[in-house]
Amino acid sequence: MLYLVGLGLADEKDITVKGLEIVKKAERVYLEAYTAILLVEKEQLEAYYGRSVEIADREMVESSSDTILADADKVDVAFLVVGDPFGATTHTDLILRARELGIPTQAVPNASIMTGIGCTGLQLYNFGQTISMVFFTDNWRPSSWYEKIVENANIGLHTLVLLDIKVKEPNLEMLARGKIRYEPPRYMTVAQCAQQMIEIEEEKGLGVCAKDALAVGVARVGAQDQNIVAGTLEQLAEADLGRPLHSLVLIGKNTHDLERDYLRAFAVDQKVFDEAWAKNHGSQ
C-alpha cells in the first residue's frame, strides 16, 4: 500500500494516531519537502516516529517517483505531506501513477492551512478562491491571481493567499554553465506579499487590494508561537511576523460582526482598523 499521510501544520506531534501507526510499520518513509515545511527539522520527526525519514524533493517526486513507488504493491510505503495530502497542495499525480502500477493507495487526512486559517476568526464558508503569490523578479511579475481576487470581491468573499517558498531551487547562472548549485531556501513573508499586492493594484486600478484594503496575516499556524496581525495592506507591508511559514487573507465585504470583533484584537492599530472596516464593510 502507498499511504499519503497528512502531518498537520506545526510539529512532529500533529500527526494523527492512525498516521503514526502507519509510519511505524511502513517499509520506507518519505517526507515531501518542497511545497511546504513543518516548523521542526527532519531529525525531530525521526526521533518522535522512531524511524528514519527520507526527504523527497521536487525532483524525486516529479521525475523519480518510481523510487518512491518501488515494491509498494508488496510492502507499505508512507509518503508524508505537511498539512493534508489533498489540502492546499494535492498529490493526485502520485496517486494516479500508483494506480497505473496497480498499487493500492490510502490517504490519511489532517489539518491544512485551508482549515487552519479559521484561527483568524474568519468564517470558512465566507472564503472564495484561494490564490498563490510567487516572488516577483526584475522581469517577471505575474498577476493572473488579481482576476480571482476581483471575482471573490464581487461576491464579498475572503481570499486566502498562499505565499511562495523556494526550496532547493537551482541557481540559473550556474545551470547555464552546466553546473548544478542550489540557492538558499527562501520563504515569502506577509510584508512581501502585501507589498506585491499593492504594486499590482497600482497597475490594475480596480481597488480590490489597495493600500487601505483590510487583510490579516498569519504565521506558524498551529504552533505555540502562532502570530496573527490584522490591518490594512499598507500596515501589513511593514509588519514583521517572524519566521515562516506565512499566509495572508484579504478580507471580503460579506462579513459578520463576530469576524470583526474577533479580528480587532489582532489589529496593528484598532482605530485605523475600525475606520478601514467602516469604509470597506459598512459601520455595522
Side-chain angles (χ1 to χ4, degrees):
M1 180 82 74
L2 170 68
Y3 292 95
L4 271 69
V5 180
L7 295 183
L9 293 170
D11 57 36
E12 74 280 9
K13 295 181 180 179
D14 282 350
I15 192 171
T16 64
V17 173
K18 181 185 292 185
L20 184 58
E21 289 175 348
I22 290 168
V23 168
K24 286 184 176 294
K25 72 173 185 177
E27 183 83 7
R28 301 191 306 278
V29 181
Y30 298 92
L31 173 63
E32 188 265 88
Y34 65 89
T35 60
I37 59 164
L38 279 183
L39 304 178
V40 294
E41 297 298 324
K42 176 176 77 84
E43 290 73 20
Q44 200 162 324
L45 296 183
E46 292 176 326
Y48 189 74
Y49 299 160
R51 294 295 312 277
S52 62
V53 175
E54 183 174 350
I55 295 293
D57 58 21
R58 184 186 297 272
E59 183 179 349
M60 173 181 281
V61 177
E62 294 182 352
S63 304
S64 305
S65 62
D66 291 347
T67 302
I68 298 170
L69 299 175
D71 297 324
D73 56 336
K74 304 180 183 67
V75 299
D76 290 333
V77 175
F79 185 78
L80 311 183
V81 181
V82 177
D84 182 89
F86 302 113
T89 299
T90 63
H91 289 283
T92 52
D93 54 339
L94 190 60
I95 293 287
L96 291 174
R97 291 177 213 167
R99 284 181 183 173
E100 290 174 358
L101 297 170
I103 298 169
T105 62
Q106 181 179 330
V108 181
N110 208 322
S112 79
I113 191 60
M114 305 290 282
T115 52
I117 199 64
C119 68
T120 59
L122 295 173
Q123 298 173 359
L124 295 180
Y125 46 75
N126 282 340
F127 278 77
Q129 302 171 85
T130 297
I131 67 170
S132 296
M133 183 68 67
V134 301
F135 284 108
F136 287 177
T137 66
D138 292 339
N139 52 17
W140 190 56
R141 293 159 53 89
S143 60
S144 59
W145 49 267
Y146 188 87
E147 283 69 32
K148 292 184 179 180
I149 291 181
V150 172
E151 291 175 6
N152 288 346
N154 285 340
I155 49 177
L157 298 179
H158 311 312
T159 301
L160 172 61
V161 187
L162 305 178
L163 310 191
D164 200 6
I165 71 171
K166 298 290 188 186
V167 178
K168 204 174 180 182
E169 293 285 326
N171 180 290
L172 297 181
E173 185 178 333
M174 297 300 295
L175 202 59
R177 299 177 185 174
K179 300 178 180 179
I180 297 178
R181 182 176 298 172
Y182 296 107
E183 299 281 5
R186 288 193 297 153
Y187 307 96
M188 183 179 286
T189 65
V190 162
Q192 290 170 317
C193 176
Q195 183 58 45
Q196 291 188 178
M197 294 178 79
I198 291 169
E199 290 175 10
I200 296 300
E201 177 59 49
E202 290 173 351
E203 296 176 8
K204 302 288 187 178
L206 296 181
V208 294
C209 52
K211 290 181 179 181
D212 62 350
L214 270 178
V216 53
V218 299
R220 302 173 300 283
V221 171
Q224 289 292 321
D225 63 344
Q226 171 180 290
N227 197 2
I228 303 173
V229 177
T232 64
L233 282 178
E234 185 173 33
Q235 288 175 321
L236 292 187
E238 300 295 329
D240 181 2
L241 277 71
R243 65 191 181 101
L245 290 173
H246 293 192
S247 300
L248 181 145
V249 180
L250 192 64
I251 301 173
K253 294 183 183 299
N254 182 23
T255 54
H256 192 281
D257 290 358
L258 291 175
E259 292 177 286
R260 177 199 61 201
D261 295 345
Y262 195 96
L263 270 177
R264 193 172 184 272
F266 303 109
V268 175
D269 182 311
Q270 291 189 345
K271 182 179 178 182
V272 172
F273 178 86
D274 291 342
E275 291 172 351
W277 192 281
K279 177 181 178 181
N280 291 294
H281 307 84
S283 58
Q284 299 192 29

